[in-house]
């Protein structure tokens, strides 16, 4: 066997991110010492990013089955049945480390990668979402990262012609040196025409199609499996460069293959490029693959087998054609101006065999790379600081004195304020499927040819997860499902992106396992299967980890599409109804962070039965036509929710007059507490009685708290105990300026 050979010493093993024990496992799998090419192949496939060696044993906790599940975890993306012979294909992925090093290309190639995961399944992508985390906007570097990431996302999505229809952005200093860029994509395919990453049929041709291979992105998967330090920006060469116009051609080519039934299997060359796509396809199928790298289209001269196998150049696919169909595949690629070449064949010996012409340069069992890598049950222990984080004596904090000032301060918080400045840069109408644009609880797209629509959202509260990872994971699922229910959608599937710090630290693994338990429990309770996802570890810089940040991408079915509901007030004189109970839930709130500079306490406790009953109440009332608007109550509490209902209408803001009973609550808890399982809805006077009856039958408190109308938000709070009336009165114009314009002012400061 030949390969450019270097002595495999301890230093070289460490440079490849492998431990001595892992190296010895490699020797056992091969029955000999690896050469340099084989060492590189093992290093990327056994990286955390590709092998999930610290998380795989725990991911089995997630519920992945259900009557709608067409494809669960293990493929390029998950799929659920939406009726009419169609399936929704969706997934969320992270591109965190590349986006810190080079924000524009890091984010752009994240979009490109998730798009390929969807159309590799044979589905046409119809919508993109994103979930982003940055440091506070008072630092110029954070503003630079935000602008670069948003530009990269908008450039790639706009150029390829897939609408970015929504998402979320949260700000906290903890993300200053490790921002998070999570990207979600949804596509539609005929259920019985789903493609998979398979390499079946001994002798069948293996084809490479797409962009030529370069040296960009080599060891990108290894970089994504490592912690950062102050020298991390020197890793800029590991960030790939994307071409959305080429990807658009690739998308159409792949869908034409589907139409003409030319393929056995297809896989995106994502992390670890040609290596991962080939060994994973062979491993899934119980076959082998033999490749000749001299046949790989390259854009740089004198590339070695090592470089070609580890390159993460974008817009490339590996596919297995049906017998005798390779020339038809190549002809279609030529028609679209796409490079294509037969570079290998399927074998029956289970080996990934790499040749340079007649010279063998690597020979490795495919399953050893894709399935038999290290599995770690790492030490788990709650951090010593956990009790301190949760200890907060609310009575030691002063209650709110001027609620109007506090409300304006919260509305100007970049986490809460309108992200209109971001949404304006995205084409959210291309494809003419979008029913609800960015700015409501969930984005909604129609499914052409049917009377259905799909709602989608991304959600996650990292502060809750820091204070109580189990409850934080549970609350993330609940909020995502509530957002969908407020939009008129029944939740039918979820994909997760689990962003955490260094898994070799017992406190980080404790956070991960507890959050995973919370997500699993809530998904089981709501009967929402997890069909795809991603784990992103090592999100830390100079030993400082990010907050535990599980992000949920959830989709829901609206049938008929006319039941689509939005969050803003619609009509003068509509009655405003609060569904759910407000409790003294101030721990971990945006109010505590903004007003008291505290990130402490226990996050709200959630009763999953109550939450599910709220969803059922919303869906029944919406389907029966009794609800005009619905908005979930989350960050910033009831006062912020009411303000957003007033000012988030795209063209016609409306005021409201509200009267609240303070009962035994602190004023700040009533106005700004974040009790879950609540929604603010409106109904005409004629329908309020029926709406309240539906809620009461489900066991959900329902109170008429006011009326839509006027040019002000006027909130009166009556305290029976003290016989005092507190008032908050702000014009809609002032609210609209604080909520609608403050984010742009801060970005451009």
């Amino acid at each position: 066997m030949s390969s450019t050979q270097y002595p495999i010493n301890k230093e070289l093993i460490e440079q490849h991110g492998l431990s001595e024990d892992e190296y010895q496992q490699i020797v056992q799998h091969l029955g000999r010492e690896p050469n340099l090419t084989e060492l590189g192949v093992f290093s990327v496939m056994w990286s955390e990013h590709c092998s999930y060696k610290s998380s795989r044993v725990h991911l089995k906790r997630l519920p992945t089955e259900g009557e709608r599940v067409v494809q669960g975890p293990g493929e390029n993306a998950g799929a659920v049945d939406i009726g009419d012979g169609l399936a929704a294909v969706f997934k969320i992925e992270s591109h965190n480390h590349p986006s810190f090093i080079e924000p524009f290309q890091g984010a752009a190639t994240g979009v490109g990668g998730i798009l390929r995961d969807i159309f590799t399944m044979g589905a046409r992508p119809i919508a993109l979402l994103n979930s982003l985390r940055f440091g506070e906007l008072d630092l110029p570097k954070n503003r630079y990262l935000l602008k670069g990431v948003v530009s990269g996302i908008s450039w790639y999505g706009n150029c390829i012609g897939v609408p970015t229809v929504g998402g979320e952005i949260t700000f906290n200093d903890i993300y200053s040196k490790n921002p998070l860029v999570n990207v979600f994509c949804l596509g539609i395919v005929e259920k019985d025409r789903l493609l998979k990453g398979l390499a079946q049929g001994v002798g069948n041709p293996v084809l490479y199609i797409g962009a030529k291979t370069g040296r960009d992105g080599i060891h990108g998967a290894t970089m994504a499996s490592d912690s950062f330090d102050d020298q991390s920006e020197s890793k800029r060469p590991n960030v790939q460069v994307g071409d959305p116009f080429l990807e658009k051609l690739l998308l159409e080519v792949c869908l034409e293959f589907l139409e003409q039934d030319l393929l056995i299997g297809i896989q995106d060359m994502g992390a670890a490029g040609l290596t991962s796509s080939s060994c994973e396809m062979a491993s899934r199928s119980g076959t082998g693959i033999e490749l000749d790298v001299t046949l790989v289209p390259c854009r740089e001269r004198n590339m070695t087998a090592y470089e070609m196998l580890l390159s993460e150049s974008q817009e490339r696919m590996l596919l297995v054609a049906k017998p005798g169909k390779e020339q038809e595949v190549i002809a279609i690629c030529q028609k679209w101006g796409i490079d294509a070449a037969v570079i290998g064949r399927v074998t029956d010996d289970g080996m990934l065999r790499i040749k340079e012409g007649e010279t063998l340069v690597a020979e490795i069992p495919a399953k050893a790379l894709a399935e038999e890598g290290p599995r770690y049950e790492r030490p788990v222990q709650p951090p010593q600081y956990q009790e301190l984080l949760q200890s907060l004596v609310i009575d030691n904090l002063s209650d709110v004195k001027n609620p109007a000032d506090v409300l304006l301060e919260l509305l100007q918080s970049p986490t809460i304020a309108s992200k209109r400045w971001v949404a304006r840069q995205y084409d959210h109408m291309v494809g003419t499927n979008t029913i609800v644009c960015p700015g409501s609880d969930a984005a909604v797209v129609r499914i052409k040819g049917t009377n259905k629509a799909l709602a989608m959202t991304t959600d996650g509260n990292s502060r809750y997860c820091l204070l109580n990872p189990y409850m934080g994971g549970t609350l993330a699922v609940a909020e995502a499902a509530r957002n969908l229910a407020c939009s008129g959608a029944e939740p039918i599937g979820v994909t997760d992106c689990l962003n955490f710090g260094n898994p070799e630290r017992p406190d980080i693994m404790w956070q991960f396992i507890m959050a995973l338990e919370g997500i699993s429990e809530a998904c089981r309770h709501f009967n929402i299967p997890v069909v795809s996802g991603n784990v992103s570890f090592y999100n830390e810089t100079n030993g400082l980890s990010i907050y535990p940040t599980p992000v949920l991408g959830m989709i829901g079915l609206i049938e008929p599409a006319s039941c689509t509901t939005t969050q803003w007030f619609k009509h003068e004189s509509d009655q405003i109804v609060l569904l759910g109970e407000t409790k003294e839930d101030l721990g971990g709130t945006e109010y505590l962070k903004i007003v008291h500079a505290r990130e402490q306490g226990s996050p709200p406790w959630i009763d999953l039965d109550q939450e599910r009953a709220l969803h059922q109440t919303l869906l029944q009332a919406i389907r029966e036509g009794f609800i005009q608007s619905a908005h979930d109550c989350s960050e910033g509490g009831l006062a912020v929710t009411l303000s957003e209902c007033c000012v988030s209408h795209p063209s016609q803001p409306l005021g409201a007059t509200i009267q609240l009973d303070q009962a035994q609550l602190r004023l700040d808890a009533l106005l700004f507490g974040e009790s879950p399982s609540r929604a603010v809805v409106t109904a005409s006077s004629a329908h309020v009685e029926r709406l309240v009856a539906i809620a009461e039958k489900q066991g959900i408190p329902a109170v008429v708290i006011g009326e839509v109308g006027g040019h002000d938000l006027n909130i009166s709070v009556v305290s029976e105990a003290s016989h005092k009336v507190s008032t908050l009165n702000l014009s809609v114009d002032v609210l609209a300026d604080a909520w609608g314009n403050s984010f742009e002012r801060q970005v451009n400061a």
Side-chain angles (χ1 to χ4, degrees):
M1 183 180 297
S2 172
S3 176
T4 304
Q5 188 62 52
Y6 293 81
I8 306 298
N9 54 32
K10 183 176 181 181
E11 182 181 4
L12 194 61
I13 293 167
E14 288 178 353
Q15 286 174 359
H16 282 75
L18 294 163
S19 68
E20 177 60 30
D21 179 65
E22 288 170 347
Y23 180 74
Q24 292 305 321
Q25 290 182 52
I26 292 170
V27 172
Q28 289 178 9
H29 279 294
L30 295 177
R32 56 177 169 78
E33 299 281 328
N35 61 37
L36 178 63
T37 299
E38 291 168 332
L39 185 71
V41 165
F42 270 106
S43 76
V44 290
M45 289 308 299
W46 283 13
S47 68
E48 189 72 57
H49 189 72
C50 291
S51 72
Y52 286 25
K53 57 189 173 187
S54 299
S55 61
R56 188 173 290 214
V57 295
H58 302 294
L59 293 174
K60 296 174 183 176
R61 304 164 193 257
L62 293 167
T64 58
E65 297 178 352
E67 61 181 23
R68 287 189 181 271
V69 175
V70 177
Q71 178 62 56
E75 268 292 343
N76 290 294
V80 293
D81 190 340
I82 58 172
D84 292 317
L86 300 175
V89 179
F90 60 103
K91 189 182 184 184
I92 191 168
E93 277 274 8
S94 62
H95 232 224
N96 304 335
H97 282 22
S99 299
F100 177 64
I101 295 170
E102 213 303 302
F104 182 91
Q105 286 295 347
T109 52
V111 174
I114 197 67
L115 284 163
R116 290 194 300 279
D117 281 339
I118 301 307
F119 67 75
T120 297
M121 303 288 290
R124 180 173 291 278
I126 63 169
L128 289 159
L129 296 178
N130 49 73
S131 178
L132 312 176
R133 300 290 185 276
F134 297 99
E136 301 289 358
L137 290 174
D138 54 350
L139 291 180
K141 177 64 180 288
N142 294 335
R143 298 198 294 272
Y144 158 77
L145 289 170
L146 169 68
K147 290 178 180 179
V149 165
V150 170
S151 295
I153 290 170
S154 65
W155 174 71
Y156 208 102
N158 293 355
C159 290
I160 198 171
V162 178
T164 300
V165 294
E168 56 155 9
I169 312 179
T170 295
F171 296 86
N172 191 293
D173 276 335
I174 202 70
Y175 301 105
S176 289
K177 291 197 172 184
N178 202 125
L180 302 184
V181 176
N182 295 177
V183 188
F184 168 102
C185 187
L186 168 76
I188 302 296
V189 67
E190 292 180 27
K191 185 175 64 172
D192 59 356
R193 303 191 73 179
L194 204 65
L195 287 173
K196 297 183 181 182
L198 299 175
Q200 295 174 337
V202 174
N204 280 340
V206 176
L207 289 95
Y208 171 117
I209 70 168
K212 289 181 169 67
T213 294
R215 291 187 171 92
D216 49 328
I218 292 175
H219 276 295
T222 311
M223 177 196 70
S225 309
D226 196 9
S227 299
F228 271 1
D229 55 32
D230 289 332
Q231 307 306 313
S232 294
E233 291 185 68
S234 67
K235 297 179 180 178
R236 210 173 282 269
N238 283 336
V239 178
Q240 313 93 316
V241 177
D243 181 349
F245 301 106
L246 180 59
E247 179 131 329
K248 171 61 174 173
L249 300 177
L250 196 59
L251 187 162
E252 299 301 338
V253 161
C254 290
L255 295 182
E256 190 165 337
F257 295 156
L258 176 69
E259 284 297 315
Q260 299 194 24
D261 195 23
L262 301 177
L263 302 184
I264 297 289
I266 182 169
Q267 178 125 340
D268 165 40
M269 291 190 213
L274 185 56
T275 292
S276 63
S277 55
S278 55
C279 71
E280 287 173 2
M281 291 177 78
S283 180
R284 282 192 200 107
S285 307
T287 59
I289 283 183
E290 181 177 290
L291 303 176
D292 182 353
V293 292
T294 64
L295 303 175
V296 171
C298 292
R299 68 169 185 267
E300 299 185 48
R301 299 180 64 183
N302 301 319
M303 288 189 69
T304 65
Y306 181 102
E307 291 171 325
M308 284 187 269
L309 289 169
L310 271 60
S311 167
E312 294 184 8
S313 296
Q314 295 290 285
E315 292 89 35
R316 303 179 302 157
M317 316 285 277
L318 193 70
L319 51 93
V320 175
K322 289 188 171 180
K325 298 293 185 181
E326 59 267 35
Q327 291 308 315
E328 292 179 52
V329 169
I330 291 172
I332 290 171
C333 290
Q334 289 174 340
K335 181 183 77 172
W336 287 94
I338 291 286
D339 281 300
V342 176
I343 65 168
R345 63 187 181 90
V346 178
T347 64
D348 63 357
D349 60 6
M351 304 299 287
L352 175 64
R353 188 174 293 106
I354 309 299
K355 291 184 172 182
E356 284 183 328
E358 295 302 315
T359 304
L360 184 64
V361 295
E363 190 173 40
I364 308 171
K367 282 193 180 296
L369 293 170
E371 297 293 333
E372 297 172 357
R375 297 284 181 271
Y376 295 129
E377 291 203 41
R378 297 195 183 275
V380 177
Q381 186 174 352
Q384 295 178 347
Y385 55 76
Q386 198 67 34
E387 195 171 316
L388 178 64
L389 279 174
Q390 292 180 345
S391 64
L392 177 69
V393 180
I394 294 292
D395 291 342
N396 291 343
L397 301 177
S398 59
D399 202 346
V400 61
K401 302 299 182 190
N402 191 328
D405 289 348
V406 171
L407 176 58
L408 289 176
E409 199 172 354
L410 283 171
L411 291 175
Q412 293 175 78
S413 160
T415 292
I416 289 177
S418 168
K419 310 306 185 297
R420 192 178 300 147
W421 176 85
V422 174
R424 277 203 309 260
Q425 298 180 56
Y426 301 150
D427 186 340
H428 39 262
M429 293 304 295
V430 63
T432 66
N433 292 312
T434 310
I435 297 174
V436 177
C437 297
S440 195
D441 280 335
V444 182
V445 294
R446 69 174 55 84
I447 307 303
K448 287 177 179 171
T450 75
N451 192 25
K452 296 179 170 128
L454 286 173
M456 65 207 81
T457 184
T458 53
D459 283 290
N461 189 312
S462 58
R463 194 158 50 238
Y464 288 169
C465 288
L466 173 71
L467 300 176
N468 185 325
Y470 177 88
M471 194 55 66
T474 305
L475 288 163
V477 176
E479 184 177 354
R482 195 182 322 130
N483 280 327
L484 296 180
C486 283
S487 303
E490 175 192 352
I492 60 172
V494 71
T495 178
D496 56 18
C497 199
L498 308 175
N499 306 274
F500 288 79
N502 184 344
E504 297 165 47
R505 285 175 42 185
D507 57 324
I508 300 299
M509 278 310 296
W510 177 79
Q511 290 176 338
F512 177 78
I513 292 170
M514 294 304 293
L516 197 62
E517 284 282 4
I519 292 168
S520 301
E521 174 66 19
C523 286
R524 282 194 184 87
H525 207 88
F526 302 146
N527 195 27
I528 310 173
V530 181
V531 297
S532 60
N534 175 59
V535 178
S536 176
F537 276 135
Y538 294 98
N539 289 289
E540 69 170 27
T541 300
N542 294 329
L544 180 64
S545 288
I546 62 163
Y547 290 168
T549 312
V551 173
L552 282 299
M554 192 179 291
I555 71 164
L557 184 63
I558 305 176
E559 189 175 14
S562 58
C563 286
T564 300
T565 308
T566 49
Q567 70 182 38
W568 44 82
F569 291 150
K570 305 292 191 304
H571 309 293
E572 299 262 1
S573 302
D574 275 353
Q575 301 298 291
I576 303 168
V577 180
L578 174 62
L579 300 176
E581 183 180 0
T582 301
K583 300 176 182 176
E584 199 156 277
D585 288 314
L586 288 170
T589 58
E590 190 72 5
Y591 162 77
L592 271 191
K593 175 183 179 245
I594 297 298
V595 176
H596 294 285
R598 299 280 191 102
E599 293 187 284
Q600 279 183 280
S602 293
W605 181 81
I606 185 169
D607 182 328
L608 292 176
D609 288 330
Q610 278 291 100
E611 182 71 40
R612 184 171 54 187
L614 174 66
H615 303 168
Q616 292 168 343
T617 297
L618 288 163
L619 291 174
Q620 182 180 348
I622 287 170
R623 288 166 180 165
E624 292 186 22
F626 300 135
I627 286 182
Q628 297 291 333
S629 71
H631 188 15
D632 94 302
C633 202
S634 54
E635 285 97 347
L638 182 57
V640 166
T641 301
L642 290 166
S643 301
E644 291 173 340
C645 292
C646 289
V647 302
S648 58
H649 192 290
S651 60
Q652 185 187 357
L654 284 169
T657 301
I658 307 293
Q659 183 166 317
L660 302 174
D661 181 359
Q662 189 169 350
Q664 305 301 313
L665 295 173
R666 289 168 55 109
L667 184 58
D668 53 6
L670 175 66
L671 294 176
F672 309 116
E674 296 177 5
S675 298
S677 311
R678 294 183 300 163
V680 170
V681 302
T682 56
S684 67
S685 299
H687 292 149
V688 166
E689 186 176 342
R690 174 63 181 146
L691 169 62
V692 171
I694 291 171
E696 289 179 347
K697 187 174 181 180
Q698 294 285 354
I700 295 296
V703 180
V704 177
I705 60 171
E707 182 174 294
V708 177
H711 302 289
D712 302 314
L713 173 62
N714 187 299
I715 302 177
S716 300
V717 180
V718 178
S719 171
E720 294 181 5
S722 62
H723 304 290
K724 288 173 59 180
V725 177
S726 303
T727 59
L728 182 161
N729 189 278
L730 289 165
S731 74
V732 169
D733 289 343
V734 170
L735 293 173
D737 180 65
W739 181 76
N741 299 321
S742 61
F743 184 82
E744 184 170 359
R745 287 194 286 261
Q746 292 175 68
V747 170
N748 294 320

